[in-house]
Amino acid sequence: MSKSAIVSQIKTLVSLATYNESENLPLLVEEIHSVAEELDILVIDDNSPDGTGKLADELAASDNRIHVLHRTKKLGLGTATVAAFQWAIEQQYDCLLNMDADFSHHPRYIPDMLDAITDVDVAIGSRYVEGGGVVGWGWRRKWMSAAINYYARFFLRLPIRDTSGAYRCYRLEKLREFDFSKVRSRGYSFQEEMLFHYLLLNASFREVPIVFEDRRAGESKINGSEAINALWILFRLGIRFRLFGRGSF
C-alpha cells in the first residue's frame, strides 16, 4: 500500500488553541483545507475578547469538519492542548496534529507531517534540522530558543533538536490509557514535557524541516514569567527522572 493511501486511512484532527486570533483563524482554516481537505479541525478558544470563539462557531456551523471547545478564561496553551488530546481520544481519532493559530506554522508542511506519522509515534515540525529555519528573529530570540532547547535536551534527555516547537503530529495510540493529570505544565514547557512523556512510553520520533515565521496578525502571547516557570518545571522533571527513573512518573 502506498504512503498516500495509508495517510488517507489515518483519522487525523488538527488542534488550534486560540486567544484573540480572529484576524488569522478564517484564513488559516481555509489554507489547512486547501492542502488537506479531509482533515477535521478543533478550535479551543479561551474566551477571546476579540470574538474568536464566536467566529469559530460560525465557521463550524457552515462546515462539519470544524469543531469548537469554549473555555471560560485564558487557561494556558498546555491545558488547551491537553483538552485537544482528550477530545481527540474520546472521538476515536488516530492522530492529533497541533499547530499555532497565527500562521507561524504554515499549513504547507502538513503533507510532510502526515507522511512522517505513518512511520513514527511523533512527527515534529523542526526549525533545527537541515532544511528548517526561522524568519524574522533577532539574535537574542535565536539565542534564547537555542538555549532552551539545549536545556530541555540536557535535563530530559530528549533525542530531538527542536524540543520547544508546537507544530507536531502525535499518534494517539500510546496515550489512550495515559493519565493526563501527570502533566505539570500549563504554559510553554508543555511542549518539552509532552515529548518527555512520549519518551517514557518508548515512542519513536522524526523531525520534519519547517521554516517558522512570525505571526501575520495580532499580538504575541509570550510572557516572561511563564518562561521562567517553564524552566523550573523542566528542571524538576529532569532531576526527578535522574534520581528516581521512569518508575516515578
Side-chain angles (χ1 to χ4, degrees):
M1 184 181 294
S2 67
K3 274 208 170 183
S4 59
I6 295 172
V7 167
S8 68
Q9 292 180 1
I10 297 175
K11 187 180 180 184
T12 301
L13 177 71
V14 176
S15 62
L16 304 173
T18 59
Y19 186 78
N20 289 347
E21 296 292 355
S22 60
E23 294 178 85
N24 290 310
L25 184 62
L27 293 175
L28 181 59
V29 167
E30 182 180 346
E31 291 212 29
I32 290 171
H33 282 150
S34 74
V35 298
E37 63 180 3
E38 75 280 5
L39 294 181
D40 291 347
I41 296 173
L42 176 66
V43 179
I44 309 100
D45 186 69
D46 276 4
N47 197 25
S48 298
D50 74 343
T52 301
K54 181 180 178 181
L55 178 57
D57 284 337
E58 293 170 357
L59 293 171
S62 61
D63 190 334
N64 61 13
R65 296 170 296 180
I66 301 172
H67 311 274
V68 187
L69 288 180
H70 293 279
R71 308 203 300 172
T72 57
K73 60 182 179 180
K74 191 176 181 183
L75 297 171
L77 179 63
T79 62
T81 312
V82 165
F85 271 117
Q86 293 173 319
W87 195 89
I89 290 170
E90 289 169 3
Q91 300 300 318
Q92 299 297 309
Y93 285 90
D94 300 310
C95 294
L96 180 72
L97 197 161
N98 187 73
M99 303 173 62
D100 286 350
D102 58 7
F103 274 101
S104 55
H105 298 150
H106 200 283
R108 73 171 69 95
Y109 301 109
I110 288 177
D112 292 336
M113 299 284 281
L114 296 178
D115 182 70
I117 203 62
T118 61
D119 298 321
V120 295
D121 296 305
V122 186
I124 300 163
S126 179
R127 299 159 290 182
Y128 302 128
V129 294
E130 185 176 355
V134 296
V135 173
W137 283 12
W139 69 267
R140 183 172 299 169
R141 190 170 177 187
K142 288 181 179 179
W143 182 87
M144 288 179 62
S145 179
I148 289 169
N149 276 278
Y150 176 81
Y151 183 91
R153 289 197 302 272
F154 176 77
F155 278 104
L156 303 183
R157 300 183 181 179
L158 295 171
I160 297 150
R161 294 194 61 80
D162 194 339
T163 66
S164 59
Y167 200 172
R168 298 178 185 164
C169 190
Y170 301 88
R171 278 194 177 271
L172 297 174
E173 182 178 359
K174 287 184 177 292
L175 291 187
R176 296 201 183 276
E177 305 300 325
F178 181 70
D179 180 4
F180 283 96
S181 68
K182 293 180 178 180
V183 178
R184 294 289 174 259
S185 302
R186 297 294 177 264
Y188 295 104
S189 59
F190 175 82
Q191 309 305 337
E192 292 90 344
E193 184 176 353
M194 206 63 225
L195 291 179
F196 179 64
H197 286 298
Y198 263 91
L199 182 67
L200 295 180
L201 293 169
N202 297 312
S204 55
F205 305 92
R206 178 177 298 172
E207 295 187 77
V208 176
I210 66 162
V211 175
F212 181 95
E213 307 170 25
D214 272 334
R215 63 170 44 248
R216 290 190 181 180
E219 296 181 357
S220 173
K221 314 301 189 302
I222 294 175
N223 180 292
S225 62
E226 279 194 18
I228 293 170
N229 187 53
L231 294 176
W232 174 238
I233 289 172
L234 297 181
F235 175 79
R236 287 191 299 168
L237 285 172
I239 293 300
R240 178 179 167 189
F241 179 52
R242 288 167 184 265
L243 290 178
F244 303 109
R246 291 172 181 256
S248 64
F249 291 91

